[in-house]
Amino acid sequence: CGIEPADRAGREQPGGLAHTLCVGDDVSPGERTGKGREIYERVLPVLQDQANVSLNLGILHFSEDRFKDAIVAFADAANRDPNDSEARLGLAQTYEQVGKFDLSMEQAIAAYALDNKSTQDLHSVARAGVALGRNEEAEAAFGQALKLSPEYVAIRNNLAFFYLKSERFEAARA
């Protein structure tokens, strides 16, 4: 269920609070009743706080070029809070740095689905698309990103580079 029951040494503790939360995983949080709902509502803020810690660790690791550690931290944040578009974008950008463009695109698309007003998500989709040779998707993502943020210079530069690489010289000048 995304909740890892463990003691301070990292050993699993079946039957604990997290186990109680995971019982009936097919039930959405809004449908939980009684003790399960009470526990879920009490623990959720703790999990979200831990997701924020993991997100910040991911940002720190990324800024220090420790990409493997950044992937672990961003993935933990995304697992703890599946609606965290920042964690997904962090994963996308980190995967891009290590050359895993398919995973980068997957995470950037997931981030955009959660926050469809993010120019950065679209820019990540576009860059991954270029790297994967998925030119139509890349061009569409560049176009959407420019519509959202026409002043974003990095997108304009990357789009021009994309056109040059595609030998579309007239489009690159525009």
Side-chain angles (χ1 to χ4, degrees), residues 159-160 162-174:
L159 181 57
F162 168 73
Y163 286 141
L164 289 172
K165 186 177 174 185
S166 304
E167 297 184 5
R168 293 169 56 194
F169 303 113
E170 290 301 316
R173 287 188 196 141

Side-chain angles (χ1 to χ4, degrees), residues 30-52:
E31 295 174 341
R32 293 180 193 275
T33 58
K35 191 71 171 169
R37 182 179 180 90
E38 176 186 324
I39 293 170
Y40 180 84
E41 289 174 352
R42 195 174 52 188
V43 171
L44 186 61
V46 173
L47 294 174
Q48 288 171 331
D49 285 346
Q50 183 58 47
N52 288 333

Side-chain angles (χ1 to χ4, degrees), residues 8 30 33 47 59 64 76 117-118 121 138 161:
R8 290 178 191 249
T33 58
L47 294 174
I59 292 167
E64 295 176 347
D76 183 60
K117 291 186 173 40
S118 173
D121 298 342
F161 177 74

